[in-house]
């Protein structure tokens, strides 16, 4: 005769066994990869490159679902609300996770608690560029020119409180200059005005200006990264161009929702690391301005904490809000 306690124990064991069986069979159906930005952006390029590789290595289709809107928060909210079963993962950038915390910006999810960090796939370095008629050829010359012409130069970050905005603010604070920030509602408008000369300085994602730099329409003074960009080997890093100027580098990573089973999280991280080690994937992403990383989930979580700690004093000193 079964007691109620005995029945409860059997049900619990069956549930655990079922969960273990599901994890052993993972994956057994299509995986959705949410890209919280429109098609064509660097996030989309990365998402489609990784999805194609995961489809081959994991033996199931991995489809990209572009869910652009609200600076990436709409797609990120959808990921946060997804079942923690490994069948929904998503691309993330600092604007969707570390910057909302540093800026105390309200978003419809907890950027830390509602997600499982899987891997930083690649760095997404910013570059400091200027119009070709500006009489400067390196970052030190830009600083000297700005000091001699206070308030006469302007830059156009793609929104208030973005990594571009904070990079420009950090240069102002570090160098004691006043390049005026003119936040735009998106990167395309800022780039058009930069190319047209309405603004003179840009803090931009490398892939968006690579062709313009090669064509001589813009001058790249520095790349904000730990190493030089292979497509433009003569352009110095921020540390080389201006020692002590060390804004946080940007990144492209992949999360799962919170409470992802450890075995599934480990499998996904391993597959993502394997994907970026593929020579063709690494070559394509690097050529697109996204040097591959392939971190662990723990390293990803640590990177987010470092971002928050690094940007918070800049934000407070500049009295910057994310509104």
């Amino acid at each position: 005769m079964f007691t109620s306690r005995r029945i409860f124990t059997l049900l619990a064991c069956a549930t655990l066994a079922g969960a273990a069986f599901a994890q052993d069979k993972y994956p057994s159906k299509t995986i959705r990869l949410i890209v919280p930005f429109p098609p064509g952006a660097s996030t989309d390029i990365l998402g489609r490159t990784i999805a194609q590789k995961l489809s081959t290595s994991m033996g199931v289709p991995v489809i990209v679902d572009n869910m652009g809107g609200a600076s990436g928060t709409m797609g990120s909210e959808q990921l946060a609300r997804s079942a923690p079963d490994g069948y929904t993962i998503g691309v993330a950038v600092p604007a969707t996770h570390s910057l909302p915390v540093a800026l105390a910006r309200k978003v419809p999810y907890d950027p830390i608690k509602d997600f499982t960090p899987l891997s930083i796939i690649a760095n997404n370095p910013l570059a400091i560029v200027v119009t070709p008629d500006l009489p400067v050829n390196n970052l030190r010359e830009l600083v000297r020119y700005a000091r001699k012409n206070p308030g006469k130069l302007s830059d156009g970050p793609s929104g208030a409180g973005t990594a571009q905005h904070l990079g420009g603010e950090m240069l102002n604070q570090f160098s004691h200059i006043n390049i005026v920030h003119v936040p735009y509602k998106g990167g395309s408008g800022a780039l058009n005005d930069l190319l047209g000369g309405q603004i003179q300085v840009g803090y931009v994602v490398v892939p968006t200006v690579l062709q313009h730099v090669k064509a001589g329409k813009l001058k790249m003074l520095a790349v904000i990264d730990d190493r030089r960009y292979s497509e433009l080997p003569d352009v110095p890093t921020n540390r080389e161009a201006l020692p002590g100027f060390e804004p946080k580098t940007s990144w492209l990573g992949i999360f799962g929702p919170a409470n992802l089973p450890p075995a599934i999280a480990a499998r996904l991280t391993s597959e993502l690391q394997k994907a970026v080690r593929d020579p063709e994937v690494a070559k394509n992403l690097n050529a697109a301005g996204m040097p591959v990383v392939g971190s662990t989930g723990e390293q990803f979580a640590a990177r987010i904490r470092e971002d928050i700690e690094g940007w918070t004093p800049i934000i407070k000193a500049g009295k910057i809000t994310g509104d």
Side-chain angles (χ1 to χ4, degrees):
M1 182 175 181
F2 289 105
T3 64
S4 59
R5 179 177 294 181
R6 175 65 170 164
I7 292 172
F8 177 81
T9 302
L10 289 172
L11 288 173
C13 290
T15 300
L16 291 172
F21 177 79
Q23 291 179 34
D24 288 342
K25 292 294 183 179
Y26 175 82
S28 60
K29 62 180 181 179
T30 298
I31 296 172
R32 179 171 62 142
L33 175 59
I34 295 174
V35 174
F37 295 95
S42 56
T43 47
D44 184 55
I45 294 170
L46 178 135
R48 293 183 185 279
T49 301
I50 293 300
Q52 183 177 11
K53 196 65 184 175
L54 290 182
S55 294
T56 301
S57 66
M58 300 187 77
V60 296
V62 179
I63 61 169
V64 172
D65 185 2
N66 291 94
M67 299 186 68
S71 301
T73 59
M74 286 180 61
S76 298
E77 180 185 11
Q78 182 66 31
L79 176 61
R81 294 182 176 182
S82 298
D85 55 10
Y87 290 102
T88 304
I89 56 178
V91 176
V93 294
T96 57
H97 286 75
S98 53
L99 287 180
V101 178
L103 289 159
R105 176 193 290 155
K106 291 183 179 180
V107 291
Y109 52 84
D110 188 307
I112 306 299
K113 296 179 180 179
D114 289 346
F115 301 89
T116 300
L118 297 173
S119 181
I120 298 173
I121 302 301
N123 282 330
N124 195 27
L126 298 176
I128 300 175
V129 298
V130 297
T131 52
D133 59 340
L134 196 66
V136 303
N137 293 299
N138 57 59
L139 202 49
R140 289 180 184 272
E141 289 181 1
L142 175 63
V143 169
R144 286 197 291 268
Y145 185 90
R147 285 175 179 167
K148 292 179 181 178
N149 300 275
K152 292 185 178 181
L153 294 179
S154 58
D155 64 53
S158 57
T162 60
Q164 293 92 327
H165 184 187
L166 298 183
E169 178 60 27
M170 185 172 183
L171 181 62
N172 276 355
Q173 293 181 23
F174 177 80
S175 302
H176 306 288
I177 58 178
N178 181 27
I179 297 177
V180 180
H181 306 309
V182 184
Y184 285 70
K185 291 185 178 180
S188 59
L191 179 58
N192 288 338
D193 280 3
L194 182 62
L195 291 169
Q198 284 80 17
I199 55 177
Q200 302 78 36
V201 184
Y203 301 85
V204 291
V205 178
V206 169
T208 64
V209 294
L210 183 58
Q211 60 177 328
H212 302 300
V213 172
K214 289 184 174 181
K217 296 179 180 179
L218 294 171
K219 293 187 288 188
M220 188 178 293
L221 305 185
V223 59
I224 299 174
D225 201 0
D226 295 331
R227 55 187 174 180
R228 295 191 180 198
Y229 178 43
S230 61
E231 296 291 310
L232 296 169
D234 293 333
V235 177
T237 67
N238 51 286
R239 292 178 180 177
E240 294 171 325
L242 195 63
F245 174 57
E246 299 184 9
K248 308 303 295 182
T249 57
S250 192
W251 45 260
L252 294 154
I254 291 183
F255 280 96
N259 302 315
L260 201 59
I264 290 178
R267 172 74 188 280
L268 284 166
T269 295
S270 176
E271 294 291 347
L272 291 168
Q273 291 176 317
K274 188 191 306 181
V276 300
R277 286 196 296 266
D278 179 86
E280 193 66 20
V281 170
K283 177 183 176 182
N284 291 340
L285 289 180
N286 188 68
M290 294 174 276
V292 297
V293 178
S295 76
T296 65
E298 291 78 11
Q299 290 167 333
F300 193 1
R303 179 78 169 269
I304 293 171
R305 290 193 297 271
E306 290 171 6
D307 277 4
I308 295 168
E309 292 170 0
W311 283 127
T312 298
I314 302 300
I315 289 166
K316 288 183 177 180
K319 299 180 180 179
I320 297 170
T321 68
D323 301 328

